[in-house]
Amino acid sequence: MAVARRAMAALPAAALFALAAPVLAGIAWMGWAGSPESYRVVNAAALAAATAWLVFAKAPAQTLHWRLLAIGALFALCLPFLTGPGINGVVRWIALGPVGLNSGALAVPALAVAAVKDRDWGAWLLGAALLPLTAQPDAAAGLAVTFAAVGIHDRTKDWRYGLVCIAGFFLTISMGLRGELPPQAFVERVLPHAAGTGLLWALLLSAAMVASFFTMLKGLRTSPATSYGLAGALFGFVIMALISHYPYPFIGYGAAPILGFGLALGLAESGRA
């Protein structure tokens, strides 16, 4: 019994809840609303992979390794320029067989965690993400970087993150003016679509997202700066989805935010970053 209690205590329950609650709510709604079955299968598979990582994750032990992880995340942001595909001059997806992963949703959460751990380079590496995001352009990921920097600055009072906030705000406006694409059902405009299928669905999805945000903000077993950075990144993605045609994380179709935040939550919980 003592072994079982220790195993249960070691499980990242809050992180699992923050990820699984909105993803499962989204899968349930997509099934009710008649989405393609492949959408639900992809999201479920991404959640399974993220859950396995959360349970068995092992974070880097040295600052150099965190720095290399951040550089790897920046490289992932640049991959769409090498691999495509592009739509109307917008290039922000990594082709993975039949699935396209949004590079910003995949890389920005882990980059926010790594930035907190690297006190010397972290702010500059987080700010560097704005360059490929501006070129893609991806206003949702740009706003996620901006609010991640807002959250980290709030807890650390590091002036360098303040500069990232200012640069991110203005560059995100530029991205938003150039990067909007027509909405895709079950990806963008999820809450209005859900409200059309039943107000209770919209309330359920909204409640799941709010619960996920506050769990990341206050419920994780990690440093306040990391919690605020992750919650800020999620806030940025969600706000841009609400005001423009950008994907809703977790509750809409898309493996990238599930895998991206799963990776970041595992790093945060296992590394106590």
Side-chain angles (χ1 to χ4, degrees), residues 4 8 42 64 67 107 112 139 142 151 160 183 193 216 222 261 267:
M8 290 298 294
V42 167
L64 175 60
R67 187 171 298 166
R160 294 170 295 180
H193 187 177
M216 289 189 198
T222 187
F261 276 95
L267 291 169

Side-chain angles (χ1 to χ4, degrees), residues 97-255:
V99 179
L101 298 177
N102 182 287
S103 62
L106 187 66
V108 167
L111 181 57
V113 174
V116 174
K117 196 65 174 179
D118 187 347
R119 295 183 179 180
D120 294 328
W121 289 24
W124 306 127
L125 290 170
L126 184 63
L130 294 168
L131 299 177
L133 293 175
T134 300
Q136 287 179 357
D138 188 343
L143 199 62
V145 168
T146 302
F147 277 105
V150 169
I152 298 170
H153 179 268
D154 180 76
R155 306 312 299 173
T156 65
K157 310 305 180 187
D158 188 330
W159 62 271
R160 294 170 295 180
Y161 287 102
L163 293 181
V164 176
C165 299
I166 296 169
F169 176 76
F170 288 105
L171 288 175
T172 298
I173 293 174
S174 168
M175 299 176 214
L177 293 174
R178 297 182 292 114
E180 187 175 81
L181 295 171
Q184 180 181 347
F186 300 103
V187 180
E188 292 91 10
R189 307 291 295 166
V190 167
L191 288 182
H193 187 177
T197 60
L199 183 59
L200 287 178
W201 280 114
L203 293 175
L204 173 64
L205 296 177
S206 298
M209 288 303 303
V210 170
S212 179
F213 170 78
F214 280 106
T215 301
M216 289 189 198
L217 189 70
K218 294 294 186 182
L220 300 181
R221 299 176 299 183
T222 187
S223 72
T226 302
S227 293
Y228 275 57
L230 275 174
L234 179 61
F235 185 79
F237 282 118
V238 171
I239 289 298
M240 191 54 68
L242 285 169
I243 64 177
S244 188
H245 297 164
Y246 281 89
Y248 276 75
F250 305 158
I251 59 175
Y253 167 61

Side-chain angles (χ1 to χ4, degrees), residues 82-108:
L82 303 176
T83 65
I87 302 174
N88 297 334
V90 176
V91 183
R92 59 175 79 124
W93 301 275
I94 301 170
L96 188 65
V99 179
L101 298 177
N102 182 287
S103 62
L106 187 66
V108 167

Side-chain angles (χ1 to χ4, degrees), residues 10-31:
L11 284 176
L16 286 169
F17 173 79
L19 196 62
V23 172
L24 292 176
I27 290 173
W29 168 69
M30 285 191 284

